[in-house]
Amino acid sequence: MVDTILVVEDEPDVVDLVRYHLHRAGFDVLTALSGPAGLATATESRPDAIVLDIMLPQMTGIEVCKALRNANATADIPILILTAKAEISDRIAGLELGVDDYITKPFSPRELVLRVQNLLRRLRAVRKSSVLRVDEFCVDKGNYEITVRGKRLDLTTTEFKLLAALVEHRGRTLSRETLLQDVWGYKSAIDTRTVDTHVRRLREKLGTAADRIVTMRGEGYRFLVHQHAV
Ligand code: CA
């Protein structure tokens, strides 16, 4: 799956430059020109990483960062902040908020791309071996186990992979084609009804939590996140 990067920056020239280089490196790029717009896009689209400028109108990057970290839907999205060289206090504030990396302006776009790639690689390595908790769901990739409120679901390997993929990309719609590729490893979408059949079985096994898997008409499926703060 192509990784999506959200760039939050109010200077259009910088946005264009960063977008161009990230795009060329194979990323999908979303942009927002203000803090509130960035927050809205992050919540709606749950990008894989966020490049966040500190000097923003309306809301500073630090405030945006705080809001992202405090919301369940965005708390674990890696953030790379852009700072001016002199703003050491911002850098410290950012690190205190759990910013994953920072780069000082003026920066080389290539370095930025490398930093983003490293960030995602580091994160993948950690996530692969760890347990992911989302609301009452707990996904243990090492043991191929998913529990809901502490109760272990009796899943086939395919069902496990399907639910794990949905939970991992929670809040984002995954198309049937994407799921066939990620879960079944199919290169081309032969029969997307396979996905529907498995989702149906999965919902039966989820019982009262079945409504967490939402059908997005004409688009695919999405795992619903509770929007309340952690
Ligand atoms: Ca700026």
Side-chain angles (χ1 to χ4, degrees):
M1 186 185 288
V2 176
D3 287 319
T4 304
I5 313 297
L6 168 64
V7 180
V8 187
E9 159 71 272
D10 60 316
E11 290 157 73
D13 290 354
V14 179
V15 172
D16 285 347
L17 185 74
V18 172
R19 176 173 33 208
Y20 171 79
H21 284 273
L22 285 173
H23 208 254
R24 212 175 59 163
F27 292 109
D28 273 349
V29 184
L30 298 168
T31 59
L33 294 170
S34 74
L39 270 180
T41 307
T43 308
E44 169 63 28
S45 309
R46 286 199 23 88
D48 296 284
I50 299 172
V51 174
L52 175 64
D53 185 36
I54 289 292
M55 295 294 282
L56 291 168
Q58 297 175 63
M59 239 181 136
T60 68
I62 293 295
E63 287 168 331
V64 174
C65 190
K66 219 176 271 180
L68 287 168
R69 286 293 182 248
N70 283 331
N72 207 5
T74 54
D76 61 348
I77 301 176
I79 301 172
L80 183 148
I81 57 172
L82 302 175
T83 70
K85 236 189 183 113
E87 301 171 58
I88 292 170
S89 60
D90 282 342
R91 222 179 297 163
I92 292 168
L95 290 172
E96 276 171 358
L97 284 170
V99 157
D100 301 87
D101 201 0
Y102 65 87
I103 195 163
T104 51
K105 284 180 168 182
F107 57 87
S108 128
R110 275 212 211 134
E111 187 188 348
L112 178 87
V113 169
L114 285 174
R115 297 275 196 119
V116 170
Q117 285 168 336
N118 284 340
L119 197 63
L120 291 171
R121 201 173 301 134
R122 271 202 321 261
L123 209 76
R124 293 257 144 79
V126 173
R127 278 186 186 162
K128 217 174 181 177
S129 61
S130 69
V131 173
L132 171 68
R133 276 172 226 281
V134 177
D135 303 328
E136 67 270 38
F137 284 72
C138 181
V139 180
D140 182 346
K141 287 197 119 175
N143 292 314
Y144 273 76
E145 264 184 27
I146 299 179
T147 57
V148 182
R149 284 193 201 86
K151 194 168 169 278
R152 187 174 165 273
L153 297 172
D154 183 21
L155 303 174
T156 65
T157 307
T158 303
E159 287 163 353
F160 170 85
K161 284 193 199 163
L162 179 59
L163 185 53
L166 287 164
V167 174
E168 229 166 278
H169 299 97
R170 59 200 172 282
R172 194 197 281 184
T173 303
L174 298 181
S175 69
R176 291 172 176 82
E177 289 76 15
T178 300
L179 286 166
L180 275 175
Q181 214 171 346
D182 280 23
V183 175
W184 281 266
Y186 291 166
K187 290 270 181 291
S188 60
I190 314 158
D191 186 0
T192 52
R193 277 172 305 181
T194 305
V195 180
D196 302 327
T197 310
H198 279 81
V199 167
R200 197 163 56 234
R201 277 192 215 134
L202 202 49
R203 279 180 175 144
E204 279 164 17
K205 292 187 177 181
L206 283 170
T208 53
D211 57 355
R212 298 297 290 276
I213 302 176
V214 182
T215 307
M216 307 299 285
R217 272 189 84 159
E219 292 181 56
Y221 294 101
R222 171 187 287 212
F223 186 87
L224 208 66
V225 198
H226 290 158
Q227 293 291 328
H228 61 76
V230 186

